[in-house]
């Protein structure tokens, strides 16, 4: 707890570096202080909007705390900045499935997959096929897995 206090004191003197924020977030998380983590990340996103890592963490915290609409809004904004980042796409898929938007998410993933050049879309293809499996679209998922196997032979 003393470490957390020391780190929050730094914020008052505005000498906080990104590594300090990361340490503080880790401590808050260890202590189960979700509300404090959320508030800190919201400040970070406002302070450093060019740092997508903060927004990604914030979306994860929103998801974990059941604030699905805030998570969706945060991840959608992040996608406008980094539309091809697979970790953002993965989190978007989780959020969409939690919201019951499986069909529209699979359509989005399929379009995203098809836009990418063969030989450069393995992770997108795996995400699409996994989402299809989760949505009980087994035969469609199998087709994607086979397509990927042909694109990436051993």
């Amino acid at each position: 707890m003393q470490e957390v206090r020391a780190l929050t004191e730094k914020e008052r003197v505005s000498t906080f570096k990104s590594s300090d924020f990361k340490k503080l977030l880790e401590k808050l998380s260890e202590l189960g202080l979700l509300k404090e983590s959320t508030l800190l990340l919201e400040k970070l996103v406002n302070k450093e909007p060019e740092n997508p890592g903060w927004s990604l963490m914030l979306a994860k915290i929103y998801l974990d705390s059941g604030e699905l609409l805030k998570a969706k809004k945060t991840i959608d904004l992040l996608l406008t900045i980094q539309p091809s980042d697979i970790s953002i796409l993965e989190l978007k898929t989780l959020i969409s499935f939690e919201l019951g938007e499986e069909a529209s998410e699979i359509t989005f993933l399929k379009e995203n997959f098809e836009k990418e050049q063969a030989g450069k879309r393995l992770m997108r293809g795996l995400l699409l096929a996994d989402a299809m499996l989760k949505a009980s679209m087994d035969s469609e998922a199998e087709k994607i897995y086979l397509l990927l196997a042909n694109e990436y032979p051993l």
Side-chain angles (χ1 to χ4, degrees), residues 36-55:
E36 290 79 359
S37 296
T38 303
L39 291 172
L40 179 60
L41 278 166
E42 287 170 345
K43 287 180 186 177
L44 284 168
V45 168
N46 288 327
K47 181 180 179 186
E48 297 179 18
E50 72 285 352
N51 183 340
W54 300 135
S55 294

Side-chain angles (χ1 to χ4, degrees), residues 87-98:
S87 58
I88 296 170
L89 293 171
E90 288 171 344
L91 188 56
K92 180 185 183 312
T93 301
L94 282 173
I95 294 165
S96 294
F97 271 67
E98 284 292 317

Side-chain angles (χ1 to χ4, degrees), residues 25 33-49 51-78 88 91-92 95:
L25 283 168
L33 300 171
L34 194 59
K35 183 178 179 183
E36 290 79 359
S37 296
T38 303
L39 291 172
L40 179 60
L41 278 166
E42 287 170 345
K43 287 180 186 177
L44 284 168
V45 168
N46 288 327
K47 181 180 179 186
E48 297 179 18
N51 183 340
W54 300 135
S55 294
L56 187 60
M57 281 198 240
L58 181 59
K60 286 179 183 177
I61 285 184
Y62 284 149
L63 175 62
D64 291 344
S65 63
E67 296 184 73
L68 299 177
L69 295 178
K70 283 185 177 181
K72 181 178 172 50
K73 182 179 176 184
T74 302
I75 210 72
D76 287 345
L77 181 59
L78 195 50
I88 296 170
L91 188 56
K92 180 185 183 312
I95 294 165

